[in-house]
Amino acid sequence: MSVAIRRSKMISFRLSPEEYQTLQAACAEQRVRSISDLARMAMQRVISPHSLADPLSDEVRDLRDRVRLLAFELDRLSKVVETRS
């Protein structure tokens, strides 16, 4: 059960099959739920360069990433439980 943030704007771009596979692998490695979430996190880092120098922002980002990981794992585990029921 993850907390859904309502988003109303969309950005679209094309990838080669190799780029797409690389992003899928990065999601698994980073334990990010989707390519969209990975892209959103990367873009936030690009548009917030001042946060790189702010240790508190780094800690907040780390905590946010950990919460995302926990939400991903909860979703995964609940799907496992549902399939066994």
Side-chain angles (χ1 to χ4, degrees), residues 51-83:
S51 69
L52 296 175
D54 182 359
L56 182 57
S57 291
D58 290 341
E59 288 182 20
V60 169
R61 185 172 46 248
D62 183 49
L63 287 171
R64 184 182 61 226
D65 292 345
R66 288 179 184 206
V67 168
R68 283 184 178 141
L69 172 61
L70 288 171
F72 175 79
E73 287 298 313
L74 283 172
D75 287 342
R76 186 186 65 78
L77 289 172
S78 85
K79 288 176 186 172
V80 168
V81 169
E82 287 174 5
T83 59

Side-chain angles (χ1 to χ4, degrees), residues 19-39 41 65 68-69 72-73 76:
E19 290 170 324
Y20 188 79
Q21 288 176 347
T22 300
L23 287 176
Q24 284 183 314
C27 286
E29 182 180 309
Q30 296 292 318
R31 297 186 179 201
V32 177
R33 182 176 58 117
S34 67
I35 292 175
S36 291
D37 283 350
L38 183 69
M41 288 168 48
D65 292 345
R68 283 184 178 141
L69 172 61
F72 175 79
E73 287 298 313
R76 186 186 65 78

